[in-house]
Amino acid sequence: MLELRNLSKSYASGRPVLSNLSWNFKAGEFVSIMGDSGVGKSTLLNLIAGLDTPDAAPGDSPIVVDGVPMSGLDDDAATKLRRARMGFIFQAFHVLPHLTLLQNVALPLLLNGLPTERAAEMLEAVGLGGRGGDFPHQLSGGEMQRVAIARALVHRPALVLADEPTGNLDPDTAHSILTLLRREIKATGACAIMVTHSQHAAEMTDKILQLSKTGIQETTNVNTFKQ
Ligand SMILES: Nc1ncnc2c1ncn2[C@@H]1O[C@H](COP(=O)(O)OP(=O)(O)OP(=O)(O)O)[C@@H](O)[C@H]1O
Ligand SMILES: [Mg+2]
């Protein structure tokens, strides 16, 4: 579903952040990525999302989504791929303040020319069924995250990218949001990659990857949550 092949990234200003990462992410897999602050987790998600560009590599594209080499795409094609095939739960992808919750969740459907009925179903699925007409400022942090999840999944993307989706939530809310995220991912068969600092959050995924200066490694000493 998503292949990383010798992916490297360095910023002009300094040392390399990621060097020669390779990994295969499979469809239907819910994977977490853990690692020290500053090791490059958000950078990695941004590269996969096409929001940042990897270092030039000779030969193969370092990022391949569903068989499509990302580096072969122009801006328009990359935007189309991102819009149709990916869902984001990033801090930078804020819920839009001037749209109602229902309009926010319907946005990916509209942008993809899809019928918008599913927006209401998704709001219902995240427990905000009665609040479609509310505006984001009327929500708590946890409710806002639920809207972000609904919006990220509403168009059934093949690839879901989440950067600390429960970072600022209390443990109970975090648990219910992760349960919801897991259920929706499994229902749609998406591949989901979640960056987290929380061991509990990581244990709710199928596989835990550790990102470090030496590369990506799967960690084995955890009780993987499966249902
Ligand atoms: N636009 C940029 N220009 C220069 N350096 C950057 C840029 N973005 C990130 N970096 C650097 O790249 C490194 C990795 O940053 P990144 O945000 O990916 O870390 P992270 O693993 O997500 O950390 P955290 O767990 O704190 O969120 C850091 O040293 C950071 O300072
Ligand atoms: Mg980060």
Side-chain angles (χ1 to χ4, degrees):
M1 158 73 235
L2 167 67
E3 286 174 61
L4 307 181
R5 300 175 183 162
N6 296 314
L7 173 66
S8 298
K9 175 69 183 175
S10 36
Y11 288 105
S13 49
R15 63 183 175 82
V17 178
L18 305 172
S19 31
N20 282 310
L21 290 189
S22 295
W23 199 265
N24 279 347
F25 296 89
K26 301 190 187 85
E29 210 176 40
F30 186 14
V31 179
S32 50
I33 298 183
M34 301 191 80
D36 294 343
S37 184
V39 79
K41 303 179 297 297
S42 297
T43 300
L44 176 60
L45 288 193
N46 286 332
L47 292 170
I48 295 169
L51 300 171
D52 201 349
T53 42
D55 294 350
D60 284 351
S61 170
I63 302 174
V64 180
V65 177
D66 255 353
V68 178
M70 293 280 282
S71 58
L73 302 178
D74 60 22
D75 281 356
D76 261 12
T79 301
K80 279 200 185 117
L81 175 85
R82 184 159 54 234
R83 194 179 273 169
R85 309 283 287 155
M86 300 186 191
F88 302 101
I89 311 167
F90 284 13
Q91 294 291 322
F93 280 70
H94 279 307
V95 171
L96 300 175
H98 303 299
L99 299 184
T100 65
L101 304 191
L102 190 61
Q103 289 169 333
N104 263 287
V105 175
L107 201 55
L109 298 171
L110 282 173
L111 290 172
N112 284 295
L114 296 169
T116 53
E117 283 79 19
R118 200 171 126 81
E121 287 167 31
M122 273 312 292
L123 266 184
E124 189 79 45
V126 301
L128 294 170
R131 316 243 348 230
D134 285 1
F135 287 88
H137 73 268
Q138 296 167 284
L139 300 185
S140 73
E143 288 166 344
M144 199 88 86
Q145 277 308 66
R146 286 193 261 161
V147 175
I149 289 174
R151 189 185 53 180
L153 299 173
V154 70
H155 55 310
R156 298 195 165 94
L159 181 60
V160 176
L161 302 173
D163 199 350
E164 300 191 52
T166 56
N168 48 2
L169 303 176
D170 69 80
D172 284 352
T173 307
H175 184 83
S176 73
I177 283 175
L178 288 165
T179 305
L180 170 76
L181 184 57
R182 185 179 170 88
R183 188 185 75 210
E184 292 301 321
I185 287 159
K186 294 300 170 188
T188 58
C191 167
I193 304 174
M194 173 176 75
V195 165
T196 182
H197 283 288
S198 156
Q199 187 68 29
H200 174 77
E203 284 173 8
M204 290 181 71
T205 65
D206 302 325
K207 194 176 275 184
I208 304 180
L209 304 181
Q210 188 77 32
L211 183 63
S212 70
K213 282 179 192 136
T214 54
I216 293 187
Q217 273 198 319
E218 186 173 349
T219 65
T220 49
N221 58 340
V222 289
N223 304 313
T224 302
F225 169 97
K226 291 207 175 87
Q227 57 183 11

